[in-house]
Amino acid sequence: MPFNFRKTLIVMELIFQDVLKTNFVIPLYPTTFRETIIPVPTPLGVTDLPPNIYFDLDNRFNVEQEQRIRDAISETMLVWATHMNEKWNGGTNTGISQMAACINIYATQNLRPAWYSESPIQNGLTATNIAMDQFTQLIRDNGFRRSPRAKIFAAPLNNNTIVFALTAFTQNFVPLSFIVDPTLIDIATLNFITGSMMHSWLHCAGFFDPNTTSYFNTECSMCVMRGFRPKNPDMPDNLYYQFFD
């Protein structure tokens, strides 16, 4: 596999941004940005949400690519909001969402985010609830400008990866920054882009790989790509997770 110099420079910049929790990072991969603003849905039972989240979008993306990225982010937040609505369950907050039910069948490994230090997580259902609560934190920190400005870089990625993000080791003030392959964003369907975006957000929420069957991040993202339907033997898992970082 050839060395991906541009990706390496961006990853170094993202590491500095995440570790230092600052917007003032020397640009190792010089580019210019424009701001894109995406409305935040308001699920039942979730308060103190910002009206929007904000991203600095690499000007190398054209208007059509920007819209596809915006659509994938909006779809990712819709998955989060739908889970929270279904879990709210008329105010009991004990419901099991379609997503959680799907993940609970398949995810058995890497259920704990990097920052988690409480009692062991026993199943995919609990891991899903923790992950979606962390999405709430990511959205709040971004929308209220508590975390460093989220940057979306345009750069080629390895293999068929559509979106790449670092795995966060902290729970608060995590920048929702990532890299998007501009070539793949042009040709992939929204379903696969959203799955890759979901996978990257789960990295930002603290969940590790590897990308293979039974691991939480992978199974969660694949459930989203399948519309929470059961697995189909005619569509092997690697058909989906080839698009993950």
Coordinates of all heavy atoms in Angstrom, one line a residue, residues 30 68 151 159 162 209 230 234:
P30 N -1.8 22.7 4.6 CA -2.5 23.9 4.3 C -3.7 23.8 3.4 O -3.6 23.2 2.3 CB -1.3 24.8 3.7 CG -0.1 24.1 4.1 CD -0.4 22.6 4.2
R68 N -23.6 16.3 -0.1 CA -23.6 14.8 0.3 C -23.0 14.7 1.7 O -23.5 13.8 2.5 CB -22.8 14.0 -0.7 CG -23.5 14.0 -2.1 CD -22.6 13.3 -3.2 NE -22.5 11.9 -3.0 CZ -23.4 11.0 -3.3 NH1 -24.6 11.4 -3.8 NH2 -23.2 9.7 -3.2
K151 N -13.2 20.3 11.8 CA -12.7 20.5 10.4 C -13.0 19.2 9.6 O -12.8 18.1 10.1 CB -11.2 20.8 10.5 CG -10.9 22.1 11.2 CD -9.4 22.4 11.1 CE -9.0 23.7 11.8 NZ -9.6 24.9 11.2
N159 N -7.8 2.3 0.5 CA -8.8 1.3 0.2 C -10.1 2.0 -0.2 O -10.1 2.9 -1.0 CB -9.0 0.3 1.3 CG -7.7 -0.4 1.6 OD1 -6.9 -0.8 0.7 ND2 -7.4 -0.7 2.9
I162 N -14.4 5.9 3.2 CA -15.1 7.1 2.8 C -14.8 8.2 3.8 O -14.4 9.4 3.4 CB -16.6 6.9 2.7 CG1 -16.9 5.8 1.6 CG2 -17.3 8.2 2.2 CD1 -18.4 5.4 1.6
D209 N -11.9 0.1 16.7 CA -12.1 -1.0 15.8 C -11.6 -2.3 16.5 O -11.5 -2.3 17.7 CB -11.2 -0.7 14.6 CG -11.7 0.5 13.8 OD1 -12.9 0.7 13.7 OD2 -10.8 1.2 13.2
P230 N -32.2 -7.6 9.8 CA -31.3 -8.7 10.1 C -30.2 -8.9 9.0 O -30.5 -8.5 7.8 CB -32.2 -9.9 10.2 CG -33.5 -9.4 10.5 CD -33.6 -8.1 9.8
D234 N -26.5 -13.4 1.9 CA -26.0 -13.1 0.5 C -25.2 -11.8 0.5 O -24.7 -11.4 -0.6 CB -27.2 -13.0 -0.4 CG -27.9 -14.4 -0.6 OD1 -27.1 -15.4 -0.5 OD2 -29.1 -14.4 -0.8

